Amino acid sequence: MRETREERPKRADARRNRDRILAAAQIAIARDGVDASLEEIARQAGVGSATLHRHFPSRLALLETVFLDRVETLCSQARELAAEPDPGAALVTWLRAIGTYAANVRGLAPSLLLSAHELEHRERNVTCHRKISGAGEELLTRARLAGAVRPEVSIDDLLTLVNAISAATERHADAPAATDRLLLLALDGIRSPAPPGP
C-alpha cells in the first residue's frame, strides 16, 4: 500500500522527535547518570512525557538505545582485537576502552556491566550487557589459552572490576585517567604467574 502525503510528514516528525529525545538523553545521562529525570529529558527535547514514552516505553528501552551504538563499537573493537598476535595485550586494550567510556558516562558501568547473578534479578540494559559479555568472552578465552590470564578469571570478574573502578573514580577530576591507571594496576593481578626459574 502506497504511503499518503499525510503519513510521510507524521513519520518524519516522529523520527525528529525520537532523535531529539536521544540527543537530550545523551546530554542528561552524561551529566546526571543513568537515573537522569525522564521528565527533564522530555522537556529538553521539546516534547511531552507521553511522546517520550511512546518512543521509549521504559527507562531500560531509552538507556539501551542511548548506549547501543557505543556498545556495538566496543564489540566491533573486540572482534578486531581478536586477530591481534598478543591475546593478553588485546584483552587489556579492550578492557581499557570500556573503562574509558564508562568513566566518561556517569552510571554507565552499573547499567551495562551487571554480573550474571544481578541479571537474574534485575531487568536493566540486559541486551547491552550480553553483547559486551559475549565480545569479552572471546578475547578472554584466547588470552587464557595463550597462558596470559589466570584460568579461574571469568568475564564477569573482569567486567565487575571495570565497574568497581569506574564507580570509584566517577567524581575524580580526571575520571578517565584515574580509571585507566587503577585498571592497569588491577589487571596485573589477572595475569598468569611466571613459571619458576630453573
Side-chain angles (χ1 to χ4, degrees), residues 4 6 16 20 22-23 47 95 101 124 128 132 138 141 143 151 154-155 164 181 183-184 195:
T4 67
E6 290 181 4
R16 280 194 295 273
R20 284 201 299 263
L22 286 173
V47 302
L95 291 170
Y101 181 53
R124 191 174 187 184
C128 290
I132 289 285
E138 181 181 354
T141 298
S154 72
I155 192 62
R181 185 175 64 81
L183 186 57
L184 283 174

Side-chain angles (χ1 to χ4, degrees), residues 55-70:
H55 288 283
F56 304 101
S58 67
R59 182 179 294 274
L60 166 65
L62 179 59
L63 289 174
E64 285 209 332
T65 305
V66 168
F67 295 139
L68 193 57
D69 281 348
R70 183 55 186 163

Side-chain angles (χ1 to χ4, degrees), residues 1-20 51 54-55:
M1 184 173 120
R2 183 177 294 177
E3 281 186 326
T4 67
R5 288 182 180 175
E6 290 181 4
E7 286 173 328
R8 280 194 293 270
K10 283 184 182 177
R11 290 183 183 177
D13 286 346
R15 281 194 297 273
R16 280 194 295 273
N17 284 341
R18 186 177 188 277
D19 291 344
R20 284 201 299 263
T51 300
R54 191 161 47 248
H55 288 283

Side-chain angles (χ1 to χ4, degrees), residues 67-123:
F67 295 139
L68 193 57
D69 281 348
R70 183 55 186 163
V71 167
E72 292 288 3
T73 300
L74 288 167
C75 291
S76 175
Q77 183 181 4
R79 288 189 290 272
E80 291 170 11
L81 287 167
E84 290 293 313
D86 184 340
L91 177 63
V92 169
T93 297
W94 186 71
L95 291 170
R96 291 176 73 188
I98 294 178
T100 297
Y101 181 53
N104 280 308
V105 182
R106 289 184 55 202
L108 172 69
S111 269
L112 298 186
L113 310 181
L114 302 175
S115 70
H117 173 73
E118 287 175 309
L119 281 172
E120 292 175 6
H121 301 287
R122 290 173 62 191
E123 184 191 359

